[in-house]
């Protein structure tokens, strides 16, 4: 049966899917002492059960064009994760690893007390051809339920993504992406009474997506100097004498 499923998936991909390039997801040691090879050995091989489709009902928003870079409707933005976490009624957790070369773009409060943190690749242009948003974006969401953390503008069918789910230690884990190429666009799961979601605007390798998922930690556990994770970059003050030399 599994062989028939795999053949069906490969046939569908060959006929209907556009080729998808992906971001190389090398990681930077940011708060947890572990390496990628160890993570790869622990991460399960993502072999989807196509008969076990996601039961999450997605309600697209009319004012969410450009998510995740653009601010969501009614969202409140913060300069850093710590300030955003202090205003939430639960203990916030965030990724302790992000793709190499990425940094925090913004931290937000979305409706239903959802924490949303967006990371993007440093030095990447915000627009391409004056219209398209950058593709090197990773978005993380945390909230009370699967419905709220998946309440975004992302509709898998529009990206020609497959949807599937697997049984995890604390419940079902929902995936979207290209299983034939072992590429993941999003992961959504529950743990400890909370719901979590990771979204990659450009799909990443399954083993890397699982690695980021397994390293979500409380904000208080991350070194405050990890500005690429937490934001609030230090501002270098210009002395009065320096300012006088700059201003004619």
């Amino acid at each position: 049966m599994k062989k028939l499923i795999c053949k069906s998936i490969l046939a569908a991909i060959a006929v209907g899917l556009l080729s998808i390039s992906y971001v190389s997801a090398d990681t930077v040691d940011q708060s947890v002492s572990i390496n990628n090879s160890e993570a790869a050995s622990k991460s399960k091989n993502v072999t989807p059960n196509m008969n076990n489709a996601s039961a999450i009902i997605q309600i697209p928003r009319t004012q969410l064009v450009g998510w995740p870079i653009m601010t969501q409707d009614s969202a409140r933005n913060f300069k850093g994760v710590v300030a955003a976490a202090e205003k939430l009624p639960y203990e916030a957790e965030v990724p302790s690893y992000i793709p190499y070369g990425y940094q925090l773009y913004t931290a937000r409060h979305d409706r239903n007390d959802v924490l949303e943190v967006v990371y993007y690749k440093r030095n990447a242009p915000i627009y391409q051809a004056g219209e398209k948003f950058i593709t090197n974006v990773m978005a993380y969401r945390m909230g009370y339920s699967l419905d709220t953390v998946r309440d975004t503008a992302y509709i898998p069918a529009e990206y020609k993504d497959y949807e599937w789910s697997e049984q995890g230690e604390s419940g079902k884990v929902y995936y979207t992406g290209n299983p034939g190429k072992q590429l993941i666009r999003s992961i959504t799961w529950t743990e400890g009474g909370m719901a979590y979601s990771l979204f990659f605007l450009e799909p990443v390798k399954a083993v890397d997506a699982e690695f980021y998922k397994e390293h979500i930690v409380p904000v208080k556990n991350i070194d405050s100097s990890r500005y690429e994770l937490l934001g609030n970059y230090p501002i270098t003050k210009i002395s009065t004498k320096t300012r006088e030399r700059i201003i004619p």
Side-chain angles (χ1 to χ4, degrees):
M1 185 65 178
K2 290 184 178 179
K3 290 182 179 180
L4 291 175
I5 293 173
C6 291
K7 288 181 180 180
S8 299
I9 295 172
L10 292 173
I13 293 170
V15 175
L17 292 180
L18 298 174
S19 60
I20 302 175
S21 60
Y22 57 84
V23 178
S24 176
D26 296 327
T27 55
V28 180
D29 185 357
Q30 291 167 331
S31 72
V32 183
S33 179
I34 190 170
N35 56 42
N36 274 354
S37 61
E38 182 181 348
S41 66
K42 291 183 178 180
S43 297
K44 58 186 175 182
N45 185 24
V46 181
T47 304
N49 178 358
M50 299 304 291
N51 294 323
N52 194 5
S54 170
I56 298 174
I57 299 175
Q58 298 190 56
I59 304 175
R61 301 186 190 177
T62 58
Q63 300 182 23
L64 216 56
V65 178
W67 181 84
I69 286 293
M70 288 184 66
T71 301
Q72 300 211 44
D73 183 27
S74 301
R76 180 182 178 187
N77 285 264
F78 294 83
K79 292 182 178 179
V81 172
V82 175
E86 290 175 347
K87 304 296 183 180
L88 290 169
Y90 54 82
E91 182 177 17
E93 301 173 63
V94 292
S96 57
Y97 284 83
I98 56 178
Y100 180 78
Y102 278 50
Q103 68 181 24
L104 185 135
Y105 178 78
T106 191
R108 305 170 177 142
H109 283 179
D110 195 9
R111 64 187 74 185
N112 301 314
D113 288 324
V114 170
L115 170 66
E116 179 175 283
V117 186
V118 180
Y119 310 88
Y120 78 113
K121 192 169 185 178
R122 289 191 295 268
N123 302 321
I126 298 299
Y127 296 92
Q128 293 179 356
E131 297 179 352
K132 187 178 179 181
F133 288 97
I134 61 174
T135 57
N136 305 110
V137 176
M138 169 179 163
Y140 164 78
R141 286 167 65 84
M142 177 181 181
Y144 292 116
S145 70
L146 294 174
D147 290 329
T148 58
V149 299
R150 284 283 294 268
D151 182 18
T152 69
Y154 169 55
I155 301 174
E158 294 186 0
Y159 285 73
K160 294 183 169 59
D161 288 338
Y162 288 101
E163 297 183 83
W164 68 94
S165 64
E166 296 184 356
Q167 187 63 35
E169 294 181 0
S170 59
K172 283 187 178 180
V173 181
Y174 297 92
Y175 297 89
T176 68
N178 186 333
K181 294 184 178 181
Q182 290 287 294
L183 295 177
I184 299 296
R185 177 115 43 198
S186 72
I187 307 179
T188 308
W189 72 100
T190 57
E191 186 174 344
M194 300 298 292
Y196 307 82
S197 180
L198 282 170
F199 172 83
F200 307 92
L201 195 56
E202 194 75 8
V204 300
K205 289 182 283 188
V207 65
D208 292 319
E210 292 284 353
F211 180 81
Y212 303 135
K213 171 184 175 295
E214 295 301 321
H215 291 89
I216 304 297
V217 302
V219 173
K220 65 183 181 182
N221 290 0
I222 298 178
D223 191 315
S224 60
S225 66
R226 305 305 304 194
Y227 303 116
E228 68 275 25
L229 292 174
L230 301 178
N232 280 332
Y233 286 84
I235 299 174
T236 303
K237 294 182 179 180
I238 301 176
S239 67
T240 304
K241 292 183 178 180
T242 302
R243 189 179 296 110
E244 289 175 352
R245 288 198 296 269
I246 294 174
I247 300 174

